[in-house]
Amino acid sequence: MSSAGWVFDLFRGKPKYAVGPDGRMALTDHLREVRARLFRSALVLVAAFIAALFFYDQLLNVVAAPYRDAVSTLQGENSELVANGISAGLMLQLKLCGVAAIVVSAPYWLYQIWAFIVPGLHAHEKKWSRVVAAIAGPLFFAGVALGYYILPKGLSVLIAFVPDDVQNLVDFGAYFSFVTRMLLIFGVAMEIPFFVILLNLAGIVSGKALGRYRPWIVIGTFVFAAVATPSTDPFSMLMLAIPLLILFIIAEIVARLVDRSRGRGQNSTDQWSDDEASPI
């Protein structure tokens, strides 16, 4: 095989042995497929990173906009973003473009993971995997958008603690890590009620159990929002906790409807208390 053909084979991952009627492949063919999907994902990631370098200024403005909006709402606050160190500018550019490349190329490398797993699933499992892919992604990006929207309000509260006669110099690298962590928390948090519904569909959690533990869910949601948000202002906590509670209520309603449609009413183990003996 020529060198060009060998390189092409790395990205193609074509099985060398016969594939069974049920899609079974030899272990070496599975490893060859994993290698090909990793190489393709890495190639797309590198291409997205190079493209992000050309839009560095626009990306920098998107990241810095919440901070500038927060400072503009405050009167007399002397605060500005700085880059400390000779290599700080280079590291910031690499980090920012790297995160942008991961986000932009996420549909492709997530599809590669999904395409590798799906052939080994049953028909009903494939159906639910499509449902997860169709709902989980938009929910995550909705959480990220919500976090970006409230970010200036949380930053304004934090900057307001700086005394009037003190200049506040914020390292851009630390600020970018703060923004990334905050948006990631909001995005992941929006997925939690959705996975509660998946647990209900799997028969692990019932709608009646969710209703019984609703007060603890409310308390736990506020505690989670208070601990998870990097900022210490109550506004960010409420803006995370309130949508979470709404999604949990929707999850409970959906779970009760699923239980009713599947006849999990009186036949469910929820009809017995924890310390009551079952008739079995």
Side-chain angles (χ1 to χ4, degrees):
M1 182 183 297
S2 63
S3 59
W6 180 78
V7 172
F8 180 75
D9 186 62
L10 289 177
F11 289 89
R12 184 175 56 177
K14 184 178 179 180
K16 289 188 176 181
Y17 302 99
V19 180
D22 54 352
R24 292 179 180 270
M25 291 192 303
L27 177 60
T28 54
D29 286 337
H30 278 297
L31 296 177
R32 192 173 291 108
E33 181 185 1
V34 171
R35 181 186 64 185
R37 294 189 185 279
L38 286 175
F39 271 94
R40 290 199 294 265
S41 299
L43 183 63
V44 171
L45 185 61
V46 171
F49 177 80
I50 295 175
L53 292 174
F54 291 96
F55 297 94
Y56 172 67
D57 293 336
Q58 291 83 348
L59 294 173
L60 193 64
N61 290 330
V62 170
V63 173
Y67 182 86
R68 293 167 181 165
D69 293 342
V71 173
S72 64
T73 59
L74 300 174
Q75 300 294 332
E77 292 293 343
N78 191 6
S79 180
E80 59 180 320
L81 294 171
V82 296
N84 295 319
I86 297 177
S87 62
L90 174 62
M91 295 306 299
L92 176 62
Q93 185 172 7
L94 295 177
K95 185 186 298 185
L96 180 57
C97 293
V99 172
I102 293 174
V103 174
V104 171
S105 62
Y108 182 81
W109 55 261
L110 286 175
Y111 168 77
Q112 293 298 324
I113 297 175
W114 182 76
F116 177 75
I117 296 175
V118 161
L121 301 179
H122 298 292
H124 68 283
E125 293 173 334
K126 292 180 181 179
K127 180 185 69 174
W128 287 116
S129 67
R130 295 187 184 96
V131 173
V132 171
I135 299 179
L139 268 180
F140 177 82
F141 286 110
V144 170
L146 177 63
Y148 188 82
Y149 171 74
I150 71 159
L151 193 57
K153 300 175 178 60
L155 290 173
S156 62
V157 173
L158 296 176
I159 297 174
F161 283 102
V162 180
D164 295 337
D165 56 345
V166 176
Q167 186 176 12
N168 183 27
L169 301 178
V170 180
D171 180 70
F172 208 121
Y175 164 75
F176 179 67
S177 299
F178 175 87
V179 172
T180 305
R181 188 166 64 252
M182 183 123 176
L183 298 184
L184 183 62
I185 288 173
F186 270 78
V188 172
M190 294 297 108
E191 304 284 352
I192 297 176
F194 174 64
F195 285 104
V196 170
I197 296 177
L198 293 182
L199 292 176
N200 172 258
L201 293 171
I204 301 175
V205 176
S206 66
K208 188 178 293 185
L210 292 175
R212 186 166 61 246
Y213 293 105
R214 190 184 305 121
W216 293 105
I217 292 176
V218 173
I219 295 174
T221 300
F222 278 97
V223 172
F224 169 78
V227 175
T229 49
S231 60
T232 57
D233 63 290
F235 184 81
S236 298
M237 181 195 71
L238 291 175
M239 288 300 292
L240 177 60
I242 292 175
L244 264 180
L245 287 177
I246 295 174
L247 289 176
F248 269 120
I249 292 174
I250 296 174
E252 180 183 342
I253 294 173
V254 173
R256 288 181 181 273
L257 293 175
V258 171
D259 291 344
R260 183 178 303 176
S261 65
R262 295 186 175 183
R264 294 178 184 168
Q266 295 300 320
N267 295 328
S268 174
T269 56
D270 288 334
Q271 58 184 303
W272 297 292
S273 61
D274 295 336
D275 54 355
E276 181 181 354
S278 71
I280 301 177

